[in-house]
Amino acid sequence: MPLDENGANYHPHYSGTIDDDDNNKDDYRQTPYLDSSRHNSDNAGSALTEIVSNIPWGKVCIALLAVALIFGMIYIFIPKERDITVTDVDWQRNVVVEEYRTVRESDWSVPTGGRIAYFQQEIHHYSRILDHYDTVTKSRQVITGSHQEVIGYRDLGNGYFEEITQTVYEYGTEYYTEEEPVYVSVPEYRTKYYYDIERWVYDHTETSSAHDHEPYWPEVELKDNQRINGRDETYGFTAIYRDKENHYTIEYADWCEINVGVQLHVKVHIGGRIEILPDE
C-alpha cells in the first residue's frame, strides 16, 4: 500500500480522463481521502459559526435592555424598609389672606356689577369656509383580467382525475382625477368688553414655623376689606441613613411621637412618603 510523505497509509483516488494511451497515465492526480472525524468537526464548527452569525444581536441587546429597565423600575417602586435616626423636627402653619378690591377683566358680556371701561372688536372664533376646488390625480388598483389556475386534482374513483381550478384576477393601476374642496379659516369678530369689577383676590400668606414641638397659628391682622380664605399646616423631621440626611413629611399625630435622637424603623415609598413601622 502506498505511503504519504509522513509514512502514513493512504488510499489513492484517481481523477482525470481515462485513455488507452499509456502516456496519459502521468496526468492522473492522486488525492488522499480526508479523515472523516476531522471533516465532521470542521462541519460542526462551520455550522456553529453560521448559527452565531445569524443571531439578531441588535434585537437581543434591545430585549436585554428592556428586561433590565423593567427590573430597575420594579426596584424603584418597591417600598424600602430602613432604620433611620432622627436629627431634627420642624413644623409650619400658613394662613391665606384675600382682599376685596377692584380688578380689570374682559369678556364678551358684562357680568352684574361690572362697569365698562371700554370695548372693541376682536376675533371671537374662526369659521371654516369653502374657498375653491382643486383637481387632484389619484390612483387605485383595478381588475384588468383573469385566468384559471390548477390548484389540485379530484379523484373521480374510476381511474380518472378532475382538475380543481380557481380564478386568479390580474390587477393594474388606474389613474383618475377628483375635485377636492379647499377651505380657508375666516375670523369672526364680536364686541369684547373691558370692565372694572370688585373681586376677592389673593393678597398674602401669614406663616409661622420652628424646629420644636410647639406649633401655633400666626397672628393675622385683617383690614375691613380682607378675609381669611384657608389654612394649611405641615409637620416633618430630618433623619440620617447611611451618612445621608433626608427630610420627611408626616401626619401630626405621628409627628408628636417623634423626638430628636430616636431610631425609627420605617418604610419609604416612591416620592418620599414615609410609613413608620411598629417596633419588632
Side-chain angles (χ1 to χ4, degrees):
M1 179 176 293
L3 302 176
D4 63 14
E5 59 183 0
N6 296 320
N9 294 332
Y10 74 94
H11 299 280
H13 171 72
Y14 300 96
S15 61
T17 303
I18 299 177
D19 198 297
D20 291 338
D21 189 350
D22 293 338
N23 294 329
N24 291 332
K25 293 180 180 179
D26 293 336
D27 294 334
Y28 298 153
R29 292 176 297 171
Q30 297 179 347
T31 304
Y33 288 111
L34 296 175
D35 188 300
S36 61
S37 62
R38 178 180 177 183
H39 181 65
N40 292 337
S41 176
D42 291 343
N43 288 341
S46 300
L48 180 59
T49 301
E50 183 177 356
I51 292 173
V52 172
S53 63
N54 289 333
I55 294 176
W57 292 108
K59 294 182 179 180
V60 171
C61 291
I62 292 175
L64 292 176
L65 182 61
V67 171
L69 182 62
I70 292 173
F71 277 101
M73 294 298 292
I74 292 175
Y75 176 79
I76 291 174
F77 284 98
I78 292 179
K80 313 295 189 304
E81 290 193 15
R82 297 173 179 174
D83 290 320
I84 60 178
T85 302
V86 178
T87 59
D88 188 24
V89 295
D90 60 88
W91 59 270
Q92 179 174 308
R93 289 182 174 181
N94 303 308
V95 178
V96 179
V97 178
E98 290 185 335
E99 187 172 275
Y100 195 67
R101 65 178 68 152
T102 302
V103 296
R104 176 67 55 86
E105 296 180 349
S106 64
D107 206 341
W108 303 106
S109 61
V110 181
T112 302
R115 302 176 299 280
I116 297 176
Y118 66 94
F119 56 88
Q120 62 188 21
Q121 293 292 303
E122 294 187 14
I123 297 175
H124 182 271
H125 65 277
Y126 287 86
S127 296
R128 194 165 176 257
I129 305 299
L130 176 64
D131 184 64
H132 65 278
Y133 287 88
D134 280 345
T135 301
V136 295
T137 301
K138 297 184 177 182
S139 64
R140 59 191 172 197
Q141 295 296 107
V142 296
I143 298 174
T144 59
S146 65
H147 63 276
Q148 299 293 317
E149 284 189 0
V150 178
I151 60 173
Y153 295 90
R154 182 183 296 108
D155 188 353
L156 299 178
N158 56 2
Y160 292 92
F161 293 82
E162 179 183 44
E163 291 181 344
I164 302 174
T165 63
Q166 69 175 9
T167 301
V168 178
Y169 294 98
E170 299 163 359
Y171 293 87
T173 302
E174 177 185 72
Y175 295 92
Y176 64 98
T177 59
E178 278 189 358
E179 298 295 313
E180 287 191 348
V182 178
Y183 294 89
V184 293
S185 295
V186 178
E188 300 287 347
Y189 289 85
R190 289 186 183 178
T191 301
K192 192 167 191 179
Y193 299 94
Y194 290 79
Y195 53 89
D196 295 329
I197 194 171
E198 280 64 41
R199 303 285 194 193
W200 284 104
V201 296
Y202 172 81
D203 185 69
H204 69 280
T205 299
E206 296 286 351
T207 300
S208 60
S209 63
H211 293 264
D212 55 30
H213 276 102
E214 299 178 2
Y216 59 88
W217 291 103
E219 295 183 3
V220 181
E221 294 183 3
L222 298 176
K223 300 177 182 178
D224 293 339
N225 62 334
Q226 290 182 335
R227 69 179 183 182
I228 293 176
N229 189 38
R231 299 172 182 263
D232 66 81
E233 52 193 312
T234 57
Y235 303 91
F237 67 93
T238 302
I240 189 170
Y241 174 73
R242 292 183 178 178
D243 299 327
K244 182 180 179 181
E245 283 193 335
N246 291 286
H247 185 267
Y248 305 98
T249 301
I250 57 175
E251 296 296 327
Y252 176 74
D254 294 329
W255 178 80
C256 291
E257 302 298 325
I258 294 177
N259 292 295
V260 174
V262 302
Q263 189 175 71
L264 302 175
H265 184 57
V266 300
K267 180 182 290 186
V268 181
H269 298 264
I270 187 69
R273 185 175 66 86
I274 195 170
E275 177 185 355
I276 300 177
L277 302 176
D279 295 332
E280 297 181 355

